[in-house]
Amino acid sequence: MTTAYGDLRESLQSVAFTTPTPFSADRDRVLHEKIEQNARTLYDAGARTFIPCGNTGEYYSLSQDERIDVIQSTVDALPDDATVVGGVGGSAKNAVELIEAYEAAGVDAVMVMYPRHTYVHEQGLIEYYRTLAAATDLGIVLYKRGDLLSETVLGELSTIDNVVAVKYAVNDVKLFSRLVQTVPGDVEWLNGVAERYALAYAIEGADGFTTGIGNFVPKPVLALDEALSAGDWARARQLKDALRPFEDFREEHGGGSAFSSAKNVPVVKYGQELQGMAGGPVREPLVELSSDDRDRVERYLERLESQNETISLEA
């Protein structure tokens, strides 16, 4: 795996695949041979940057040991020119434990999951991230999903040497545009709300984006990345529009407005199954797709494939 921050930064200036975790039918075991097969399939399709143990990987449904093993399987499956960014989070003690284990496994960087503590002080949050950054020479990716990673927090942390990127997963392009201009550190900005807004965020300064649906439709996602890199906005808009039904679907509620994006992961996993990859079941508190929703995934996939006649879906 690449180690220099320069190489790491370059690898983040593209599309990063946030990979799911395949479980056994009873949801009890992680299927490591399937992790490796999925990773190699994506690599062969052109993927080069991978983020296991993120939200798409059901981070909060994994034990500490399972997280470490998922990372090890992903690293072992991929050639040296791939980049692996492992998700870490929870208490500082648990996060540092994971960072040390991931470093031993051979990752290139870690992504610190959005904080979930009930009572958070801004200065305390800054110290939390400083503790994690000081525990390693690995690159650190900050994951912004809400207000806790404020402009002040991002500004303070962006100047730490091994803080290399921010994954911005908030549907607020106005705030994103301001942060790109005001945050003082030299960080890569990743659009964390994926394909649907990839064009808007790229125009406002995003260096790359993350993908979930790329796990089962990698070619059009990689083509979108290529179009964005080339500044081919017309083609990027075509590809974004072709992929949008999946993204709108994944955002749907699962029992009320408090449960947004409830179908995010099971849509990806079922899409993998349809494409001959290993998706498998989700763990609680996620739920499986209904039969109607599974039909929708199938229809959207057929529709996307049919569009290859009018839109080249490959890079």
Side-chain angles (χ1 to χ4, degrees):
M1 299 297 156
T2 55
T3 55
Y5 295 147
D7 291 340
L8 174 60
R9 289 173 178 274
E10 184 176 353
S11 72
L12 295 173
Q13 295 169 6
S14 59
V15 54
F17 289 70
T18 58
T19 53
T21 304
F23 301 121
S24 58
D26 62 3
R27 304 185 298 181
D28 183 57
R29 293 178 296 109
V30 173
L31 301 182
H32 292 280
E33 70 280 5
K34 299 301 184 182
I35 291 175
E36 296 180 6
Q37 290 171 14
N38 287 347
R40 287 192 292 267
T41 296
L42 290 175
Y43 181 89
D44 290 344
R48 290 297 180 269
T49 303
F50 300 77
I51 307 179
C53 291
N55 286 325
T56 304
E58 296 180 72
Y59 178 87
Y60 292 103
S61 297
L62 298 172
S63 71
Q64 196 85 329
D65 286 342
E66 284 177 329
R67 293 164 184 157
I68 294 168
D69 291 342
V70 165
I71 295 297
Q72 188 68 70
S73 293
T74 305
V75 171
D76 289 346
L78 293 166
D80 288 344
D81 64 336
T83 297
V84 177
V85 182
V88 305
S91 70
K93 182 176 181 179
N94 280 355
V96 168
E97 179 182 285
L98 287 177
I99 289 170
E100 292 173 347
Y102 291 4
E103 189 165 7
V107 301
D108 303 285
V110 296
M111 180 180 73
V112 183
M113 303 294 287
Y114 188 70
R116 296 300 181 189
H117 199 291
T118 305
Y119 307 111
V120 181
H121 190 289
E122 189 171 68
Q123 186 58 42
L125 193 58
I126 292 169
E127 294 306 315
Y128 169 81
Y129 283 99
R130 287 192 178 278
T131 296
L132 303 193
T136 184
D137 290 328
L138 291 172
I140 302 286
V141 178
L142 308 177
Y143 191 1
K144 177 176 172 60
R145 285 189 62 86
D147 294 338
L148 291 181
L149 263 72
S150 63
E151 193 166 347
T152 298
V153 171
L154 290 173
E156 289 279 344
L157 300 177
S158 69
T159 60
I160 299 173
D161 286 345
N162 58 334
V163 171
V164 297
V166 177
K167 177 180 176 180
Y168 181 93
V170 180
N171 187 11
D172 186 344
V173 72
K174 179 180 179 181
L175 174 60
F176 175 80
S177 181
R178 186 174 80 240
L179 291 174
V180 170
Q181 298 298 320
T182 61
V183 168
D186 180 18
V187 294
E188 309 301 322
W189 290 94
L190 309 182
N191 157 33
V193 288
E195 291 81 7
R196 182 172 42 177
Y197 300 116
L199 179 58
Y201 279 89
I203 291 171
E204 293 296 338
D207 303 292
F209 67 97
T210 60
T211 182
I213 64 173
N215 285 284
F216 64 95
V217 286
K219 292 296 186 180
V221 170
L222 289 163
L224 173 60
D225 175 55
E226 183 180 80
L228 294 172
S229 297
D232 187 347
W233 307 130
R235 175 159 168 72
R237 185 177 297 108
Q238 283 184 314
L239 289 161
K240 177 262 296 181
D241 289 344
L243 293 165
R244 181 165 185 158
F246 286 118
E247 289 300 290
D248 289 343
F249 188 7
R250 293 172 71 212
E251 192 181 45
E252 290 179 6
H253 295 164
S257 60
F259 302 95
S260 63
S261 301
K263 300 175 184 179
N264 191 310
V265 177
V267 165
V268 172
K269 284 193 161 185
Y270 187 55
Q272 288 180 298
E273 293 287 335
L274 293 174
Q275 298 288 59
M277 300 173 69
V282 294
R283 280 181 174 171
E284 66 277 7
L286 281 64
V287 299
E288 304 298 337
L289 297 178
S290 68
S291 59
D292 287 345
D293 282 343
R294 290 162 73 93
D295 288 343
R296 287 174 64 192
V297 177
E298 294 171 20
R299 290 199 308 272
Y300 291 163
L301 188 56
E302 290 172 1
R303 184 189 307 171
L304 180 64
E305 291 171 347
S306 72
Q307 288 178 292
N308 199 29
E309 297 178 5
T310 54
I311 304 172
S312 174
L313 299 178
E314 297 191 11

